[in-house]
Amino acid sequence: MDSDTIWRHVDEQREQLADLLDTLEPGQWSTPSLCAGWTVRDVAAHVTHVQMSRGEYVRAAIRSGFRFDAMISRMAVSDAADPATITARLRAMVGSRGRPPMTKEIDPLMDVLVHTQDICVPLGIDRPMPVDAAVAVAERLWGMKFPLNPRRNLPGYRFVATDAGFAAGPEWGALREAPIQDIVLMLSHRLSIPDSDRDPDE
């Protein structure tokens, strides 16, 4: 996927997420998300943190003892922004090409697609991913080594999308066929690997 297409999707997904958040009732903001220990509000606040400057990231890393997961969690939970401020931040990000240090151009797209599901799934909201964007994100996830590493953590499986041109994993692996959106959620540890007649050890 080329750069212009990536950022077009990022802009669209951020704007659509802001629109969706504007429809939530106060109680829905405190609903536990798919991210362990985070509420819907925490996830939404986290999505806006990709716009932080390098200096802000360095200061956050120092406060968290340079532990990545602890830093990300601390930033999300301690962000006191209210819903109106969060949605305003999201809309202000539309058109921006900023991204965290040492990340790839596809990472903001991965961030907003996956975290939108972290918000929507617990709330029972059906939010389809654009297929081409989901394929690009699945490819990125499969190639990652940090903080996620699907090749290491999901050995012995072959993932094949039923609605897109995506396949990953060894040819001999236990086949898991699913829509590309579900594969993205499996690779990002949001969805359990479904049972099959074929086991990884066979």
Side-chain angles (χ1 to χ4, degrees):
M1 181 176 287
D2 64 65
S3 178
D4 288 344
T5 304
I6 289 173
W7 288 110
R8 174 176 58 79
H9 276 303
V10 171
D11 287 343
E12 290 173 354
Q13 293 301 309
R14 286 172 174 171
E15 192 161 24
Q16 290 172 20
L17 178 56
D19 290 343
L20 182 147
L21 292 172
D22 276 340
T23 71
L24 300 186
E25 299 294 333
Q28 291 176 298
W29 284 85
S30 60
T31 299
S33 74
L34 292 186
C35 291
W38 287 10
T39 64
V40 164
R41 192 215 68 89
D42 297 335
V43 174
H46 167 73
V47 174
T48 69
H49 294 163
V50 299
Q51 296 289 282
M52 290 172 55
S53 68
R54 182 180 295 270
E56 288 174 312
Y57 272 105
V58 170
R59 288 190 290 275
I62 292 171
R63 286 195 295 270
S64 301
F66 294 96
R67 293 172 296 150
F68 178 80
D69 289 343
M71 178 188 77
I72 296 301
S73 181
R74 182 179 183 277
M75 288 166 57
V77 174
S78 65
D79 188 330
D82 61 14
T85 299
I86 291 171
T87 55
R89 283 184 193 166
L90 271 172
R91 289 195 170 92
M93 290 162 61
V94 174
S96 170
R97 299 298 176 258
R99 52 190 170 93
M102 297 181 291
T103 60
K104 295 183 179 293
E105 197 170 40
I106 191 69
D107 288 352
L109 180 55
M110 176 178 65
D111 198 64
V112 70
L113 281 189
V114 172
H115 286 313
T116 293
Q117 298 302 313
D118 289 334
I119 290 168
C120 289
V121 172
L123 295 176
I125 298 171
D126 182 24
R127 191 72 171 186
M129 295 180 185
V131 171
D132 61 333
V135 168
V137 167
E139 290 171 347
R140 168 60 174 151
L141 283 164
W142 187 250
M144 288 182 73
K145 294 185 178 179
F146 178 84
L148 299 172
N149 191 334
R151 293 190 194 196
R152 180 194 64 198
N153 297 329
L154 301 172
Y157 290 103
R158 179 164 177 80
F159 300 93
V160 176
T162 57
D163 57 351
F166 176 84
E171 293 284 351
W172 49 263
L175 182 63
R176 296 297 184 266
E177 294 181 298
I180 187 63
Q181 178 164 323
D182 287 352
I183 290 176
V184 168
L185 295 180
M186 288 182 223
L187 298 183
S188 59
H189 299 174
R190 267 64 178 186
L191 187 64
S192 298
I193 308 299
D195 292 334
S196 172
D197 293 335
R198 294 173 57 192
D199 294 325
D201 296 331
E202 292 181 348

